[in-house]
Amino acid sequence: MASQLGIARSTVQSIVKNDLKLKSYKLRRGQYLSDKSKAMRLEKCRKLLQHFQVRRVSDVIWTDEKIFTIEPLPNRQNQRQLLSKDDSMSPKRRLAHNRLFPKSVMVWAGITATGKTPLVFIERNVKINSEVYQKIVLMDNLLPWVIQHFAGGPFILQQDWAPSHGSRSTLAVLEAHFPGFLDKNLWPASSPDLNPMDFSVWGHVGREDRGKSFCYCR
């Protein structure tokens, strides 16, 4: 802007700040929705509202998976080193290395109004297909927790509809052990703002572990 107007950058900054009373904000990130997706989302949200006129939101088990990097990534903006001008290009200046594929781990978890499920860590190099999701997540971890936590009371399982979550064999497991789950006809796709795991829990966990190193051992 300063270049286009032929004035000093500091002058532009002063005008923006003092005269126009404007501040610079980073662009917010959001889920892209096409017009078709918006219409579908609206339709399913209306169905959800009708559904919860007879069911309780507090009975929902909100679930999700997330990949966490378990080695800290360098932040070139905030991580600095104090050196003299003569040493600025010397071997004393440390290097921040970026790995092409930083070490990471996938975590599955769920929460309800009255508790939280166990954390499920998926082994490295294990792809979450239908068999893995059914055995490790649903049967080995979620089902025992549901039996203990709800003690025969009502509950509603929410999950996204990744391929492993919506296969025929997974649907059979859900029908048998988690009846009343929110199916594809109710849960809108591309809706992280509807799931507290997405819009709250994972963000909090990410802020807590930022810049920390972890030893992931099983």
Side-chain angles (χ1 to χ4, degrees), residues 195-214:
N195 184 348
M197 289 297 301
D198 267 313
F199 67 72
S200 179
V201 175
W202 290 141
H204 175 73
V205 174
R207 288 189 294 271
E208 289 295 312
D209 72 12
R210 190 168 296 154
K212 298 178 182 178
S213 297
F214 297 90

Side-chain angles (χ1 to χ4, degrees), residues 105-128:
V105 61
M106 177 172 282
V107 183
W108 177 95
I111 59 171
T112 72
T114 56
K116 57 183 183 291
T117 70
L119 293 175
V120 180
F121 295 90
I122 307 301
E123 298 285 356
R124 295 186 193 125
N125 302 320
V126 173
K127 182 180 180 181
I128 300 189

